[in-house]
Amino acid sequence: MNDRISKIENDVQDRNSDAWKKLCEYVDKVADENIEEFSPLDELGQELFSQIHTLPESISKLKKVKKVWLYGSKIKRIPPEIGQMKSLEYFDPYTSYNLHWFPYEISKCINLKDSRVSTRALFGNYKNRMRFPLLTHNPVRYFGETLKCSICEKEITYQQTNQLWITLRVGTDNLPLLANLCSKECEDKLPKPEIGYVNFAHKGGADLKQPSDKEWHEIIQQKYEQQKLKIQNKSTQNEEPKLLKLIRKIWN
C-alpha cells in the first residue's frame, strides 16, 4: 500500500490568466456550435493548456459533446458540472497524473461507456492502494459559496454538506468519487461500491483499511467464477428451447 496521503488542494486555478479566459471562450464556442468533441489542447496549444488545472463550471453547457480529450493535462480536478454532459460517451484524461479523484456527478453521465484513465494515480487503486485524504479536517472546496447535493441536487452550503469517498465503475474504469451529501437519506441512496475496494462510503484517512493485494485477487477470482457460472446457466437456458423444438420436430 502507498502510505503517502495527499492533502486536498483547493483554489487550484488562476482564473485571471489568459489560459483560463481562452478556455472559457472555447467552452462557449463548443456549446454555441454544437461541437461533439472537446479538446482544449488542440484549441489552446501546449503552453496555455499546461496552465489549466481544472475545467470551467460552464462545461454544463456542453450538451452535445460526446468525447472529451484531456490527454497529458495538468488538471487536478473536474467540477461536478460534468454530470450535466448527458451526451458524453468517451472520456480520456490519460496521463493526467495530478488527477487523483473525480466528482460523484460523473456517474450521472448516462451515456458514458468508455474511458481511458491513468488508474495508478487514483486514490485507492488496487495496484498501489494510494491512501484517501481525510475529509473531516481537509474538505474539498469548489468554486463558489454553495454546492449541490450529489444525490438530490439540493443547493447546500459547505457547512451543511457531508463529504464521502466512494469507488464506483464509471466508463471502463473504477474511479474514486467524491460525493457531497445533504442528509442521511441521500447517503443511504449511494450505490454499492465496486467489488475489490472499500465496501462502504467513507471519510478516508490513515486508519482506513483497504483490501490487500491477496484479498483483491481472491475477490476478482470469485467474481470471475460467478460470471462464468452465470454464462453457463444462460447457455443452458438457451439450449432448452432448441431441445424442445427438436423433440417436436421428431414427434411430428
Side-chain angles (χ1 to χ4, degrees):
M1 179 184 290
N2 190 326
D3 291 330
R4 179 173 66 88
I5 299 183
S6 302
K7 186 179 186 303
I8 292 293
E9 186 179 358
N10 293 309
D11 298 322
V12 297
Q13 182 66 51
D14 177 2
R15 293 175 179 250
N16 294 313
S17 67
D18 288 339
W20 181 256
K21 293 175 182 178
K22 288 185 180 299
L23 177 61
C24 292
E25 291 173 359
Y26 175 53
V27 171
D28 291 340
K29 174 184 174 182
V30 172
D32 292 342
E33 298 180 10
N34 292 323
I35 298 173
E36 295 186 350
E37 295 197 21
F38 181 71
S39 181
L41 172 59
D42 292 338
E43 180 73 15
L44 274 65
Q46 185 60 54
E47 182 178 354
L48 292 181
F49 185 56
S50 66
Q51 299 173 39
I52 299 302
H53 303 299
T54 186
L55 296 178
E57 291 72 26
S58 56
I59 60 171
S60 61
K61 299 188 298 183
L62 304 182
K63 305 298 185 183
K64 301 295 185 179
V65 168
K66 294 182 179 181
K67 295 182 179 181
V68 169
W69 304 96
L70 299 174
Y71 181 90
S73 78
K74 302 296 182 183
I75 285 180
K76 299 179 179 180
R77 66 169 58 181
I78 304 291
E81 284 77 8
I82 194 173
Q84 298 180 46
M85 297 177 64
K86 301 302 183 182
S87 297
L88 185 60
E89 298 176 357
Y90 180 72
F91 181 63
D92 184 359
Y94 194 61
T95 69
S96 298
Y97 297 119
N98 295 321
L99 191 55
H100 303 307
W101 57 276
F102 298 82
Y104 179 87
E105 285 75 6
I106 195 173
S107 66
K108 296 183 178 182
C109 295
I110 56 176
N111 290 304
L112 181 54
K113 305 300 181 185
D114 195 6
S115 58
R116 190 170 66 143
V117 178
S118 294
T119 54
R120 288 181 182 273
L122 301 180
F123 295 144
N125 178 252
Y126 78 95
K127 295 177 181 177
N128 56 28
R129 296 298 178 183
M130 186 186 293
R131 293 184 184 274
F132 289 84
L134 181 64
L135 292 169
T136 306
H137 304 295
N138 187 30
V140 172
R141 291 290 183 267
Y142 295 108
F143 184 71
E145 298 301 320
T146 61
L147 67 166
K148 292 183 178 180
C149 174
S150 297
I151 300 298
C152 71
E153 300 185 0
K154 172 185 175 182
E155 188 168 332
I156 51 179
T157 66
Y158 285 99
Q159 288 70 35
Q160 294 172 315
T161 186
N162 176 28
Q163 294 186 335
L164 295 174
W165 298 113
I166 186 170
T167 300
L168 300 176
R169 188 76 170 179
V170 179
T172 47
D173 295 287
N174 298 324
L175 303 182
L177 308 179
L178 177 76
N180 289 281
L181 306 165
C182 69
S183 63
K184 183 64 169 61
E185 288 74 17
C186 282
E187 180 180 346
D188 291 339
K189 291 179 181 179
L190 288 172
K192 187 176 181 181
E194 185 66 18
I195 293 175
Y197 294 84
V198 179
N199 61 2
F200 56 90
H202 57 86
K203 288 285 189 181
D207 296 332
L208 177 71
K209 184 182 183 302
Q210 299 189 52
S212 65
D213 185 69
K214 180 180 178 181
E215 290 171 329
W216 163 260
H217 286 291
E218 289 176 349
I219 291 170
I220 293 303
Q221 182 62 32
Q222 291 175 4
K223 187 176 181 180
Y224 169 76
E225 294 297 337
Q226 291 172 356
Q227 291 177 335
K228 184 179 178 181
L229 182 61
K230 185 177 181 180
I231 292 173
Q232 289 175 342
N233 290 339
K234 186 176 181 180
S235 176
T236 301
Q237 291 173 357
N238 290 336
E239 288 175 359
E240 288 179 355
K242 293 180 181 179
L243 181 59
L244 290 175
K245 289 180 180 179
L246 178 60
I247 293 173
R248 187 179 297 110
K249 183 177 181 180
I250 294 173
W251 176 261
N252 291 336

